[in-house]
């Protein structure tokens, strides 16, 4: 349970899409920061301390961010509860 998720650059961004809380990514000396997060429409990006403060100020997702989160889930991850079934089917097909 979290009110928000703060990260820098992490492969855990995929897992964060399963939540309905703000996910904020803060840039620390990484040239590829914007490129890394480009596919994610529902992640709030912060490049400066004032941007980070602003991103953290809202503790809930807006209607627009919720829509972006749903699109991110559909395009970038599978959070439908059928993961074990897909793995079992893949193993059975071997």
């Amino acid at each position: 349970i979290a009110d928000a998720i703060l990260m820098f650059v992490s492969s855990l961004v995929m897992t964060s899409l399963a939540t309905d809380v703000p996910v904020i990514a803060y840039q620390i000396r990484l040239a590829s920061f914007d490129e890394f997060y480009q596919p994610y429409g529902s992640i709030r990006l912060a490049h400066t301390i004032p941007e980070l403060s602003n991103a953290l100020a809202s503790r809930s997702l807006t209607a627009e961010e919720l829509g972006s989160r749903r699109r991110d889930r559909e395009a970038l991850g599978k959070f439908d509860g059928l993961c074990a079934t897909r793995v079992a089917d893949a193993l059975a097909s071997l």
Side-chain angles (χ1 to χ4, degrees):
I1 297 174
D3 293 326
I5 297 171
L6 174 63
M7 63 180 63
F8 303 103
V9 175
S10 174
S11 59
L12 295 177
V13 67
M14 295 301 290
T15 305
S16 73
L17 298 178
T19 70
D20 284 332
V21 300
V23 177
I24 301 105
Y26 181 62
Q27 181 177 10
I28 296 184
R29 295 183 227 99
L30 181 67
S32 62
F33 178 82
D34 289 310
E35 181 182 346
F36 181 86
Y37 284 108
Q38 186 276 329
Y40 306 96
S42 66
I43 306 296
R44 298 176 187 173
L45 302 183
H47 301 86
T48 65
I49 294 294
E51 287 180 4
L52 178 60
S53 180
N54 188 48
L56 289 167
S58 176
R59 301 275 172 124
S60 59
L61 295 176
T62 65
E64 182 179 332
E65 287 174 319
L66 279 170
S68 292
R69 184 65 48 86
R70 281 191 285 278
R71 286 188 294 279
D72 282 352
R73 286 175 184 156
E74 290 173 14
L76 303 166
K78 298 288 184 187
F79 301 101
D80 57 6
L82 299 175
C83 181
T85 301
R86 281 191 289 278
V87 170
D89 290 347
L91 291 172
S93 69
L94 297 175

